[in-house]
Amino acid sequence: MSQNGQRSYTIGDIAKELGVSKTTISRAISGKGRISKETQERVRQFIIEHNYQPNIMAKGLAQNKTFNIGLAMPEEFGIWDLPFFQHSVNGICQTAAQNDYDVILFRITSDNLSQMKRIIKNHKVDGIILTRTQCDDYPVRLLKENGIPFVVIGSSLDTEVTHVDNDHISACKMLTELLLNRGLKHFALIGGNMEYFVNKSRLRGYQMAFEEHPGEEVTSVTYLNVIKEFQIVKAVDDALSVGTDCIVCMDDFICSRVVAQLSERSVRILDDVSVATFYSSMLLEHNNPLITGLEFDAAKIGGIACQMLIDILDGKHVSDYVSPDYRLFMGNSVK
């Protein structure tokens, strides 16, 4: 009996009740194999009337599936990456649960895929979601070589890779245009690891805004692959030394460190220099002044990526998805 007092049926029970074999019931549930429409309908009606929920292991055996999705997280992510990954994982797990899938989380680096290889070898998952894309993507190559269905969160130049991403180019172009239209003249862009595709997209959006801006007096200095604290310190010092009136940061971590460096130098945000970020998160939400930046729905992106992977596993055709949903938070850190 189930917890609500109703009888819990097995495939064997249903077969006995309907006078057919267990194989016939399995075929009716999985939708695979030859079975008459009449028998298919009898099984369907029985399932509806008795609220039958097939055991996930039996269902997996019938459909040759594990009903597990692998979620690859970059091992090197730090606290500054946590807001994005936390929300995207929530979206992935919620969508997976709605489709009777479980999520197996594992970690990878660009040169260490031992966990992924073990999961593939032991057939632990039906497909995998990669949460970060690189220009030279070894994880992508491994999955393609092994024929594992996968979806990436982020963009890719590989036309064979199904990806889900925010429209970083349009969003960063829009924010940069807003800054230019405010009369700011001397810009500094500080960006992180350019091996990551997202940073290339953000850089392209920034550059496009300048290419289309008619002002001849506008200048821009760019600091890329700024990863360590000392590199941020040097970039801030250099930017201030050349008279920068607006520092644009590629992400929330860089922005939080830039804000700290300006405070240490008694440089007043807004009065002395404007500050904006191409990615805002909870790391910046309590800053005073509030930082102008772009906000993206990471949970939605995660949920879409998961649903696309499940659709692929079900044999459906899917197309790449680039979300137009982003929001400009206009704080008081820009003149």
Side-chain angles (χ1 to χ4, degrees), residues 64-79:
N64 195 27
K65 287 184 176 181
T66 66
F67 284 92
N68 291 327
I69 288 174
L71 178 57
M73 300 286 287
E75 188 171 293
E76 68 274 15
F77 85 90
I79 190 172

Side-chain angles (χ1 to χ4, degrees), residues 226-269:
V226 177
I227 303 170
K228 304 293 186 180
E229 182 78 18
F230 77 89
Q231 294 173 310
I232 296 177
V233 171
K234 185 177 185 305
V236 170
D237 285 340
D238 286 352
L240 294 175
S241 70
V242 298
T244 296
D245 59 8
C246 183
I247 298 177
V248 183
C249 307
M250 273 197 183
D251 59 52
D252 49 351
F253 169 68
I254 290 176
C255 190
S256 68
R257 302 317 305 150
V258 166
V259 168
Q261 292 301 320
L262 293 175
S263 177
E264 286 186 14
R265 290 158 180 72
S266 298
V267 176
R268 297 169 299 174
I269 296 177

